[in-house]
Amino acid sequence: MNYMSEALKEAKKAYEIDEVPVGAVIIKDGKIIAKAHNLKEKKQLATAHAEILAIEKASKKMKNWRLEECELFVTLKPCKMCRQVIKEARIKHVYYGSEESIVNESTKENYTYIESGECSQILKDFFKKLREDKHN
């Protein structure tokens, strides 16, 4: 299974509801245990990032906040807040599909960039649409 494509499906859900299109999936033993997409606007909550929502779902499913045997696939390089939550949840490894970020901060060695034109393109399309909507 291509986990990044599953994260991209989540990003597309966010795009469809005018959220910044970021999607995340958490894997344990080769199976998806949680999926989420950005919901900051819908929930009016600054912490409703895809990664955090996926971690909350995985923790609930595992009945444990420690996700040491889990991996996270996310369409955009996690922000500083999300990286801290990922660290606190003890997620084993993070794979991200786009580095389209306002802030380019270095990450720990347990992060792997998987170049994905689709992950970058959906973000570019979203912000282009947003600019066009503001001008109309």
Side-chain angles (χ1 to χ4, degrees):
M1 174 177 280
N2 183 342
Y3 302 121
M4 192 60 74
S5 67
E6 293 298 313
L8 190 55
K9 286 179 187 177
E10 289 295 313
K12 289 175 182 175
K13 289 178 185 177
Y15 185 97
E16 290 169 8
I17 59 171
D18 293 327
E19 292 278 356
V20 174
V22 178
V25 296
I26 296 182
I27 313 304
K28 184 175 186 305
D29 300 328
K31 294 181 182 174
I32 295 174
I33 62 166
K35 309 181 204 188
H37 54 274
N38 274 0
L39 290 173
K40 282 176 63 173
E41 297 300 326
K42 183 175 181 185
K43 291 185 175 238
Q44 288 297 298
L45 190 58
T47 57
H49 290 207
E51 302 94 313
I52 292 174
L53 297 172
I55 288 168
E56 288 172 351
K57 288 178 180 181
S59 294
K60 186 175 181 179
K61 183 168 187 165
M62 301 297 298
K63 296 181 175 133
N64 194 339
W65 62 268
R66 292 175 190 87
L67 302 176
E68 295 165 328
E69 298 303 314
C70 296
E71 298 173 303
L72 171 68
F73 286 76
V74 61
T75 57
L76 178 64
K77 183 178 182 179
C79 70
K80 192 173 188 174
M81 174 183 68
C82 290
R83 287 197 311 267
Q84 186 60 39
V85 174
I86 290 163
K87 181 179 175 181
E88 292 295 327
R90 301 180 183 171
I91 289 179
K92 178 169 59 174
H93 201 90
V94 176
Y95 300 90
Y96 60 97
S98 176
E99 292 190 302
E100 300 289 327
S101 177
I102 295 169
V103 180
N104 188 12
E105 298 178 22
S106 63
T107 55
K108 298 284 186 193
E109 63 279 350
N110 65 335
Y111 281 64
T112 303
Y113 173 50
I114 303 173
E115 187 175 352
S116 171
E118 278 187 280
C119 293
S120 295
Q121 193 61 49
I122 194 170
L123 287 161
K124 289 175 184 174
D125 291 348
F126 175 80
F127 286 109
K128 181 180 177 187
K129 178 181 173 278
L130 196 61
R131 285 189 299 276
E132 289 170 354
D133 289 349
K134 284 185 179 182
H135 292 304
N136 292 332

